[in-house]
Amino acid sequence: MKGYWCIPPEKNSAFVAAMEDVLEVHSRPYNPQAPVVCMDEKPYQRLDHVRDPLPMRPGSFEKVDGEYKREGTCGIFIFTEPLRGWRYSKALPRRTKYLMRNILKRRKSFL
């Protein structure tokens, strides 16, 4: 078991006030004229095997070596409108501020 804290001890009141503002936005009823759209970006490290895995056999699991070769990074973006049940995701081959800017500029085209 792990314990997690989400309220920093040195900024309790300001953090709680900001979190209440966010929660208030998410508690609003659905309004197609003012949708609540969430966006998240996850950097992802691409890895490849140095040696091919050994296939699974009867009575034995697949065997994968722990050594890997780094193949760069990419960015995974997701936009979601939870109250409408809609989402859009995009994986980009690299993570650069220019690609991030372009995906944010184009967000209206897929809303």
Side-chain angles (χ1 to χ4, degrees), residues 56-107:
M56 183 171 32
R57 295 177 187 225
S60 178
F61 295 105
E62 175 186 39
K63 294 177 177 61
V64 179
D65 190 359
E67 190 176 352
Y68 59 86
K69 179 171 60 170
R70 192 164 187 265
E71 294 286 338
T73 61
C74 64
I76 301 170
F77 297 85
I78 187 158
F79 292 84
T80 181
E81 192 179 340
L83 296 175
R84 188 172 70 151
W86 170 88
R87 71 178 176 269
Y88 171 83
S89 61
K90 179 82 173 171
L92 298 174
R94 292 177 305 284
R95 289 185 64 232
T96 68
K97 63 183 174 184
Y98 304 108
L99 290 172
M100 176 73 163
R101 182 186 65 203
N102 288 339
I103 194 111
L104 290 172
K105 278 184 174 180
R106 293 187 321 124
R107 74 187 183 282

Short mmCIF file of all heavy atoms in Angstrom, two decimals, residues 56-107:
data_model
loop_
_atom_site.label_atom_id
_atom_site.label_comp_id
_atom_site.label_asym_id
_atom_site.label_seq_id
_atom_site.Cartn_x
_atom_site.Cartn_y
_atom_site.Cartn_z
N MET A 56 6.28 -17.98 -25.11
CA MET A 56 5.67 -18.79 -24.07
C MET A 56 5.59 -20.24 -24.54
O MET A 56 5.37 -20.50 -25.73
CB MET A 56 4.25 -18.24 -23.79
CG MET A 56 3.55 -18.96 -22.68
SD MET A 56 1.99 -18.19 -22.15
CE MET A 56 1.33 -17.46 -23.60
N ARG A 57 5.77 -21.14 -23.61
CA ARG A 57 5.66 -22.57 -23.90
C ARG A 57 4.74 -23.18 -22.86
O ARG A 57 4.52 -22.57 -21.80
CB ARG A 57 7.03 -23.24 -23.84
CG ARG A 57 7.95 -22.73 -24.92
CD ARG A 57 9.32 -23.36 -24.79
NE ARG A 57 10.20 -22.71 -25.74
CZ ARG A 57 11.02 -23.35 -26.52
NH1 ARG A 57 11.12 -24.65 -26.45
NH2 ARG A 57 11.77 -22.70 -27.36
N PRO A 58 4.24 -24.38 -23.09
CA PRO A 58 3.38 -25.00 -22.07
C PRO A 58 4.10 -25.07 -20.72
O PRO A 58 5.24 -25.52 -20.63
CB PRO A 58 3.11 -26.40 -22.63
CG PRO A 58 3.29 -26.25 -24.11
CD PRO A 58 4.36 -25.21 -24.29
N GLY A 59 3.47 -24.51 -19.70
CA GLY A 59 4.02 -24.53 -18.36
C GLY A 59 5.05 -23.45 -18.08
O GLY A 59 5.66 -23.42 -17.02
N SER A 60 5.27 -22.53 -19.03
CA SER A 60 6.28 -21.50 -18.85
C SER A 60 5.80 -20.18 -19.46
O SER A 60 5.16 -20.17 -20.51
CB SER A 60 7.58 -21.94 -19.53
OG SER A 60 8.56 -20.94 -19.40
N PHE A 61 6.14 -19.09 -18.81
CA PHE A 61 5.78 -17.77 -19.30
C PHE A 61 6.71 -17.33 -20.42
O PHE A 61 7.80 -17.88 -20.58
CB PHE A 61 5.88 -16.72 -18.18
CG PHE A 61 4.90 -16.95 -17.07
CD1 PHE A 61 5.31 -17.47 -15.86
CD2 PHE A 61 3.57 -16.64 -17.24
CE1 PHE A 61 4.41 -17.67 -14.83
CE2 PHE A 61 2.67 -16.84 -16.23
CZ PHE A 61 3.08 -17.36 -15.02
N GLU A 62 6.31 -16.29 -21.16
CA GLU A 62 7.21 -15.66 -22.11
C GLU A 62 8.38 -15.06 -21.33
O GLU A 62 8.20 -14.53 -20.24
CB GLU A 62 6.48 -14.54 -22.87
CG GLU A 62 7.38 -13.76 -23.80
CD GLU A 62 6.68 -12.57 -24.42
OE1 GLU A 62 5.90 -11.90 -23.72
OE2 GLU A 62 6.92 -12.30 -25.60
N LYS A 63 9.58 -15.15 -21.85
CA LYS A 63 10.76 -14.63 -21.17
C LYS A 63 11.27 -13.41 -21.93
O LYS A 63 11.57 -13.49 -23.11
CB LYS A 63 11.83 -15.71 -21.08
CG LYS A 63 11.37 -16.84 -20.17
CD LYS A 63 12.38 -17.95 -20.10
CE LYS A 63 11.96 -19.04 -19.15
NZ LYS A 63 10.73 -19.72 -19.47
N VAL A 64 11.32 -12.28 -21.20
CA VAL A 64 11.75 -11.01 -21.77
C VAL A 64 12.97 -10.53 -21.02
O VAL A 64 12.97 -10.47 -19.79
CB VAL A 64 10.62 -9.96 -21.67
CG1 VAL A 64 11.07 -8.63 -22.25
CG2 VAL A 64 9.36 -10.45 -22.36
N ASP A 65 14.02 -10.20 -21.75
CA ASP A 65 15.24 -9.69 -21.13
C ASP A 65 15.00 -8.26 -20.64
O ASP A 65 14.28 -7.49 -21.27
CB ASP A 65 16.36 -9.70 -22.18
CG ASP A 65 17.73 -9.42 -21.58
OD1 ASP A 65 17.81 -9.20 -20.36
OD2 ASP A 65 18.72 -9.43 -22.33
N GLY A 66 15.61 -7.91 -19.53
CA GLY A 66 15.43 -6.57 -18.96
C GLY A 66 16.23 -5.50 -19.67
O GLY A 66 16.00 -4.31 -19.46
N GLU A 67 17.15 -5.88 -20.52
CA GLU A 67 17.95 -4.89 -21.25
C GLU A 67 17.13 -4.36 -22.42
O GLU A 67 16.43 -5.11 -23.10
CB GLU A 67 19.24 -5.53 -21.76
CG GLU A 67 20.21 -4.53 -22.31
CD GLU A 67 21.54 -5.16 -22.72
OE1 GLU A 67 21.75 -6.36 -22.43
OE2 GLU A 67 22.35 -4.46 -23.33
N TYR A 68 17.21 -3.06 -22.64
CA TYR A 68 16.44 -2.45 -23.73
C TYR A 68 17.28 -1.40 -24.43
O TYR A 68 18.30 -0.95 -23.93
CB TYR A 68 15.14 -1.84 -23.22
CG TYR A 68 15.35 -0.77 -22.18
CD1 TYR A 68 15.58 0.55 -22.54
CD2 TYR A 68 15.33 -1.08 -20.82
CE1 TYR A 68 15.78 1.53 -21.59
CE2 TYR A 68 15.54 -0.10 -19.87
CZ TYR A 68 15.75 1.21 -20.26
OH TYR A 68 15.95 2.18 -19.31
N LYS A 69 16.80 -1.01 -25.61
CA LYS A 69 17.46 0.03 -26.39
C LYS A 69 16.49 1.21 -26.47
O LYS A 69 15.31 1.04 -26.80
CB LYS A 69 17.77 -0.51 -27.79
CG LYS A 69 18.43 0.51 -28.70
CD LYS A 69 18.93 -0.13 -30.00
CE LYS A 69 17.80 -0.75 -30.77
NZ LYS A 69 18.14 -1.18 -32.12
N ARG A 70 16.97 2.40 -26.14
CA ARG A 70 16.14 3.59 -26.17
C ARG A 70 15.95 4.04 -27.61
O ARG A 70 16.90 4.15 -28.37
CB ARG A 70 16.80 4.70 -25.36
CG ARG A 70 15.90 5.87 -25.09
CD ARG A 70 16.49 6.73 -23.98
NE ARG A 70 15.54 7.75 -23.61
CZ ARG A 70 15.55 8.98 -24.12
NH1 ARG A 70 16.47 9.34 -24.99
NH2 ARG A 70 14.64 9.86 -23.74
N GLU A 71 14.70 4.27 -27.99
CA GLU A 71 14.37 4.66 -29.37
C GLU A 71 13.80 6.08 -29.44
O GLU A 71 13.09 6.42 -30.36
CB GLU A 71 13.35 3.68 -29.96
CG GLU A 71 13.88 2.28 -30.15
CD GLU A 71 14.84 2.17 -31.31
OE1 GLU A 71 14.80 3.02 -32.22
OE2 GLU A 71 15.64 1.23 -31.31
N GLY A 72 14.06 6.91 -28.43
CA GLY A 72 13.58 8.29 -28.44
C GLY A 72 12.32 8.45 -27.61
O GLY A 72 11.93 7.58 -26.85
N THR A 73 11.70 9.59 -27.78
CA THR A 73 10.47 9.90 -27.05
C THR A 73 9.39 10.33 -28.02
O THR A 73 9.66 10.69 -29.17
CB THR A 73 10.69 11.02 -26.02
OG1 THR A 73 11.09 12.20 -26.71
CG2 THR A 73 11.72 10.63 -24.98
N CYS A 74 8.17 10.30 -27.55
CA CYS A 74 7.05 10.82 -28.32
C CYS A 74 6.09 11.48 -27.34
O CYS A 74 6.28 11.40 -26.13
CB CYS A 74 6.36 9.71 -29.12
SG CYS A 74 5.58 8.43 -28.12
N GLY A 75 5.08 12.12 -27.85
CA GLY A 75 4.08 12.75 -27.00
C GLY A 75 2.70 12.20 -27.32
O GLY A 75 2.34 12.02 -28.48
N ILE A 76 1.95 11.89 -26.28
CA ILE A 76 0.58 11.42 -26.44
C ILE A 76 -0.33 12.49 -25.86
O ILE A 76 -0.18 12.88 -24.71
CB ILE A 76 0.37 10.07 -25.74
CG1 ILE A 76 1.33 9.03 -26.31
CG2 ILE A 76 -1.09 9.62 -25.86
CD1 ILE A 76 1.37 7.74 -25.54
N PHE A 77 -1.26 12.97 -26.67
CA PHE A 77 -2.17 14.03 -26.26
C PHE A 77 -3.59 13.48 -26.23
O PHE A 77 -3.97 12.69 -27.09
CB PHE A 77 -2.13 15.19 -27.26
CG PHE A 77 -0.79 15.86 -27.32
CD1 PHE A 77 0.21 15.36 -28.13
CD2 PHE A 77 -0.53 16.98 -26.56
CE1 PHE A 77 1.45 15.96 -28.19
CE2 PHE A 77 0.70 17.59 -26.60
CZ PHE A 77 1.69 17.08 -27.42
N ILE A 78 -4.37 13.91 -25.26
CA ILE A 78 -5.78 13.53 -25.22
C ILE A 78 -6.61 14.73 -24.83
O ILE A 78 -6.23 15.51 -23.96
CB ILE A 78 -6.04 12.33 -24.28
CG1 ILE A 78 -7.49 11.88 -24.42
CG2 ILE A 78 -5.71 12.66 -22.84
CD1 ILE A 78 -7.76 10.48 -24.01
N PHE A 79 -7.69 14.91 -25.54
CA PHE A 79 -8.70 15.90 -25.22
C PHE A 79 -9.97 15.13 -24.92
O PHE A 79 -10.31 14.19 -25.65
CB PHE A 79 -8.95 16.84 -26.41
CG PHE A 79 -7.80 17.74 -26.71
CD1 PHE A 79 -6.74 17.30 -27.50
CD2 PHE A 79 -7.75 19.02 -26.21
CE1 PHE A 79 -5.67 18.12 -27.78
CE2 PHE A 79 -6.68 19.85 -26.48
CZ PHE A 79 -5.63 19.40 -27.27
N THR A 80 -10.67 15.50 -23.87
CA THR A 80 -11.90 14.80 -23.53
C THR A 80 -12.95 15.78 -23.05
O THR A 80 -12.63 16.79 -22.44
CB THR A 80 -11.65 13.69 -22.47
OG1 THR A 80 -12.87 13.04 -22.19
CG2 THR A 80 -11.08 14.25 -21.20
N GLU A 81 -14.17 15.49 -23.41
CA GLU A 81 -15.32 16.24 -22.92
C GLU A 81 -16.17 15.22 -22.16
O GLU A 81 -17.04 14.56 -22.73
CB GLU A 81 -16.08 16.86 -24.09
CG GLU A 81 -17.10 17.88 -23.66
CD GLU A 81 -17.82 18.50 -24.84
OE1 GLU A 81 -17.34 18.44 -25.98
OE2 GLU A 81 -18.91 19.03 -24.60
N PRO A 82 -15.93 15.06 -20.86
CA PRO A 82 -16.54 13.96 -20.10
C PRO A 82 -18.07 13.95 -20.10
O PRO A 82 -18.67 12.88 -20.20
CB PRO A 82 -16.01 14.15 -18.68
CG PRO A 82 -14.86 15.07 -18.79
CD PRO A 82 -15.05 15.86 -20.04
N LEU A 83 -18.69 15.12 -20.02
CA LEU A 83 -20.15 15.15 -19.94
C LEU A 83 -20.82 14.74 -21.25
O LEU A 83 -21.97 14.32 -21.27
CB LEU A 83 -20.64 16.53 -19.50
CG LEU A 83 -20.21 16.93 -18.09
CD1 LEU A 83 -20.64 18.37 -17.78
CD2 LEU A 83 -20.75 15.97 -17.05
N ARG A 84 -20.10 14.87 -22.36
CA ARG A 84 -20.63 14.46 -23.65
C ARG A 84 -20.21 13.03 -23.99
O ARG A 84 -20.73 12.42 -24.92
CB ARG A 84 -20.14 15.42 -24.74
CG ARG A 84 -20.79 15.18 -26.10
CD ARG A 84 -20.45 16.25 -27.09
NE ARG A 84 -19.06 16.17 -27.49
CZ ARG A 84 -18.61 16.58 -28.68
NH1 ARG A 84 -19.45 17.09 -29.56
NH2 ARG A 84 -17.34 16.49 -28.98
N GLY A 85 -19.24 12.49 -23.26
CA GLY A 85 -18.74 11.15 -23.56
C GLY A 85 -17.87 11.13 -24.80
O GLY A 85 -17.85 10.16 -25.54
N TRP A 86 -17.10 12.19 -25.02
CA TRP A 86 -16.29 12.34 -26.22
C TRP A 86 -14.81 12.42 -25.86
O TRP A 86 -14.45 12.96 -24.81
CB TRP A 86 -16.71 13.62 -26.93
CG TRP A 86 -15.81 14.04 -28.05
CD1 TRP A 86 -15.90 13.66 -29.36
CD2 TRP A 86 -14.69 14.92 -27.96
NE1 TRP A 86 -14.89 14.24 -30.08
CE2 TRP A 86 -14.13 15.03 -29.24
CE3 TRP A 86 -14.10 15.60 -26.91
CZ2 TRP A 86 -13.02 15.80 -29.51
CZ3 TRP A 86 -12.98 16.37 -27.18
CH2 TRP A 86 -12.46 16.47 -28.47
N ARG A 87 -13.95 11.88 -26.73
CA ARG A 87 -12.51 12.03 -26.54
C ARG A 87 -11.81 12.02 -27.90
O ARG A 87 -12.32 11.47 -28.88
CB ARG A 87 -11.96 10.95 -25.63
CG ARG A 87 -11.93 9.59 -26.25
CD ARG A 87 -11.32 8.56 -25.31
NE ARG A 87 -11.38 7.26 -25.88
CZ ARG A 87 -12.36 6.39 -25.71
NH1 ARG A 87 -13.38 6.70 -24.95
NH2 ARG A 87 -12.33 5.22 -26.29
N TYR A 88 -10.65 12.63 -27.91
CA TYR A 88 -9.80 12.66 -29.11
C TYR A 88 -8.37 12.48 -28.62
O TYR A 88 -7.94 13.12 -27.65
CB TYR A 88 -9.94 14.02 -29.82
CG TYR A 88 -8.93 14.22 -30.92
CD1 TYR A 88 -9.17 13.71 -32.19
CD2 TYR A 88 -7.76 14.93 -30.70
CE1 TYR A 88 -8.24 13.89 -33.21
CE2 TYR A 88 -6.84 15.12 -31.71
CZ TYR A 88 -7.09 14.60 -32.96
OH TYR A 88 -6.18 14.79 -33.96
N SER A 89 -7.64 11.60 -29.25
CA SER A 89 -6.25 11.41 -28.85
C SER A 89 -5.35 11.47 -30.08
O SER A 89 -5.78 11.19 -31.20
CB SER A 89 -6.07 10.08 -28.12
OG SER A 89 -6.43 9.01 -28.97
N LYS A 90 -4.12 11.85 -29.83
CA LYS A 90 -3.16 11.99 -30.92
C LYS A 90 -1.78 11.66 -30.37
O LYS A 90 -1.38 12.17 -29.34
CB LYS A 90 -3.18 13.44 -31.42
CG LYS A 90 -2.24 13.75 -32.54
CD LYS A 90 -2.80 13.34 -33.86
CE LYS A 90 -1.91 13.82 -34.99
NZ LYS A 90 -2.32 13.26 -36.24
N ALA A 91 -1.06 10.78 -31.06
CA ALA A 91 0.31 10.47 -30.70
C ALA A 91 1.22 11.13 -31.73
O ALA A 91 1.01 11.00 -32.93
CB ALA A 91 0.54 8.96 -30.70
N LEU A 92 2.19 11.88 -31.26
CA LEU A 92 3.12 12.58 -32.14
C LEU A 92 4.50 11.96 -32.01
O LEU A 92 4.90 11.54 -30.92
CB LEU A 92 3.17 14.06 -31.79
CG LEU A 92 1.82 14.79 -31.95
CD1 LEU A 92 1.93 16.22 -31.44
CD2 LEU A 92 1.39 14.80 -33.40
N PRO A 93 5.25 11.91 -33.11
CA PRO A 93 6.54 11.21 -33.11
C PRO A 93 7.60 11.85 -32.23
O PRO A 93 8.54 11.19 -31.82
CB PRO A 93 6.96 11.23 -34.57
CG PRO A 93 6.24 12.38 -35.17
CD PRO A 93 4.95 12.50 -34.41
N ARG A 94 7.46 13.13 -31.95
CA ARG A 94 8.43 13.83 -31.11
C ARG A 94 7.69 14.74 -30.14
O ARG A 94 6.54 15.05 -30.34
CB ARG A 94 9.37 14.68 -31.97
CG ARG A 94 10.29 13.88 -32.84
CD ARG A 94 11.15 14.77 -33.73
NE ARG A 94 10.41 15.72 -34.56
CZ ARG A 94 9.75 15.42 -35.66
NH1 ARG A 94 9.70 14.18 -36.06
NH2 ARG A 94 9.12 16.34 -36.35
N ARG A 95 8.42 15.18 -29.13
CA ARG A 95 7.85 16.14 -28.19
C ARG A 95 8.60 17.46 -28.36
O ARG A 95 9.74 17.58 -27.93
CB ARG A 95 8.03 15.65 -26.76
CG ARG A 95 7.15 14.49 -26.41
CD ARG A 95 7.29 14.16 -24.93
NE ARG A 95 6.83 15.27 -24.11
CZ ARG A 95 7.53 15.83 -23.13
NH1 ARG A 95 8.73 15.41 -22.85
NH2 ARG A 95 7.03 16.82 -22.44
N THR A 96 7.98 18.41 -29.01
CA THR A 96 8.58 19.73 -29.13
C THR A 96 7.52 20.78 -28.82
O THR A 96 6.33 20.51 -28.94
CB THR A 96 9.13 20.00 -30.55
OG1 THR A 96 8.02 20.09 -31.46
CG2 THR A 96 10.09 18.90 -31.00
N LYS A 97 7.95 21.97 -28.44
CA LYS A 97 6.98 23.02 -28.14
C LYS A 97 6.20 23.42 -29.39
O LYS A 97 5.06 23.84 -29.31
CB LYS A 97 7.66 24.23 -27.49
CG LYS A 97 8.69 24.92 -28.35
CD LYS A 97 9.34 26.04 -27.57
CE LYS A 97 10.49 26.65 -28.36
NZ LYS A 97 11.20 27.66 -27.59
N TYR A 98 6.79 23.26 -30.57
CA TYR A 98 6.11 23.63 -31.81
C TYR A 98 4.96 22.66 -32.11
O TYR A 98 3.89 23.06 -32.51
CB TYR A 98 7.10 23.69 -32.97
CG TYR A 98 8.23 24.64 -32.70
CD1 TYR A 98 9.50 24.16 -32.43
CD2 TYR A 98 8.01 26.01 -32.65
CE1 TYR A 98 10.54 25.03 -32.14
CE2 TYR A 98 9.05 26.90 -32.36
CZ TYR A 98 10.30 26.40 -32.10
OH TYR A 98 11.32 27.26 -31.81
N LEU A 99 5.21 21.36 -31.91
CA LEU A 99 4.13 20.39 -32.11
C LEU A 99 3.03 20.60 -31.09
O LEU A 99 1.84 20.51 -31.42
CB LEU A 99 4.69 18.97 -32.02
CG LEU A 99 5.60 18.54 -33.17
CD1 LEU A 99 6.24 17.20 -32.86
CD2 LEU A 99 4.83 18.48 -34.47
N MET A 100 3.39 20.89 -29.85
CA MET A 100 2.40 21.16 -28.81
C MET A 100 1.56 22.38 -29.19
O MET A 100 0.34 22.36 -29.10
CB MET A 100 3.12 21.39 -27.49
CG MET A 100 2.22 21.76 -26.36
SD MET A 100 1.29 20.34 -25.83
CE MET A 100 0.74 20.90 -24.26
N ARG A 101 2.20 23.43 -29.65
CA ARG A 101 1.48 24.63 -30.05
C ARG A 101 0.51 24.32 -31.20
O ARG A 101 -0.64 24.76 -31.18
CB ARG A 101 2.47 25.72 -30.48
CG ARG A 101 1.79 27.03 -30.86
CD ARG A 101 2.77 28.02 -31.40
NE ARG A 101 3.30 27.49 -32.66
CZ ARG A 101 4.44 27.85 -33.19
NH1 ARG A 101 5.22 28.70 -32.59
NH2 ARG A 101 4.84 27.33 -34.33
N ASN A 102 0.95 23.55 -32.17
CA ASN A 102 0.08 23.23 -33.31
C ASN A 102 -1.12 22.39 -32.91
O ASN A 102 -2.22 22.60 -33.41
CB ASN A 102 0.88 22.52 -34.40
CG ASN A 102 1.82 23.45 -35.10
OD1 ASN A 102 1.65 24.66 -35.07
ND2 ASN A 102 2.85 22.91 -35.71
N ILE A 103 -0.93 21.44 -32.00
CA ILE A 103 -2.07 20.62 -31.59
C ILE A 103 -3.07 21.46 -30.81
O ILE A 103 -4.27 21.30 -30.93
CB ILE A 103 -1.66 19.35 -30.82
CG1 ILE A 103 -2.82 18.37 -30.71
CG2 ILE A 103 -1.18 19.61 -29.44
CD1 ILE A 103 -2.64 17.15 -31.51
N LEU A 104 -2.58 22.41 -30.02
CA LEU A 104 -3.49 23.29 -29.29
C LEU A 104 -4.22 24.25 -30.23
O LEU A 104 -5.39 24.55 -30.02
CB LEU A 104 -2.74 24.06 -28.20
CG LEU A 104 -2.27 23.20 -27.03
CD1 LEU A 104 -1.37 24.01 -26.11
CD2 LEU A 104 -3.44 22.63 -26.27
N LYS A 105 -3.56 24.71 -31.26
CA LYS A 105 -4.21 25.58 -32.25
C LYS A 105 -5.32 24.84 -32.99
O LYS A 105 -6.34 25.42 -33.32
CB LYS A 105 -3.19 26.10 -33.26
CG LYS A 105 -2.40 27.28 -32.79
CD LYS A 105 -1.51 27.75 -33.93
CE LYS A 105 -0.79 29.00 -33.57
NZ LYS A 105 0.08 29.47 -34.65
N ARG A 106 -5.09 23.56 -33.28
CA ARG A 106 -6.06 22.77 -34.05
C ARG A 106 -7.20 22.19 -33.21
O ARG A 106 -8.08 21.56 -33.74
CB ARG A 106 -5.34 21.63 -34.79
CG ARG A 106 -4.41 22.12 -35.86
CD ARG A 106 -3.82 21.01 -36.70
NE ARG A 106 -3.47 19.83 -35.96
CZ ARG A 106 -3.95 18.60 -36.26
NH1 ARG A 106 -4.76 18.44 -37.24
NH2 ARG A 106 -3.57 17.57 -35.53
N ARG A 107 -7.18 22.39 -31.89
CA ARG A 107 -8.17 21.74 -31.03
C ARG A 107 -9.60 22.08 -31.42
O ARG A 107 -10.47 21.27 -31.29
CB ARG A 107 -7.90 22.08 -29.56
CG ARG A 107 -8.29 23.49 -29.19
CD ARG A 107 -7.86 23.83 -27.77
NE ARG A 107 -8.29 25.14 -27.40
CZ ARG A 107 -7.73 26.27 -27.75
NH1 ARG A 107 -6.67 26.24 -28.54
NH2 ARG A 107 -8.20 27.42 -27.37
#
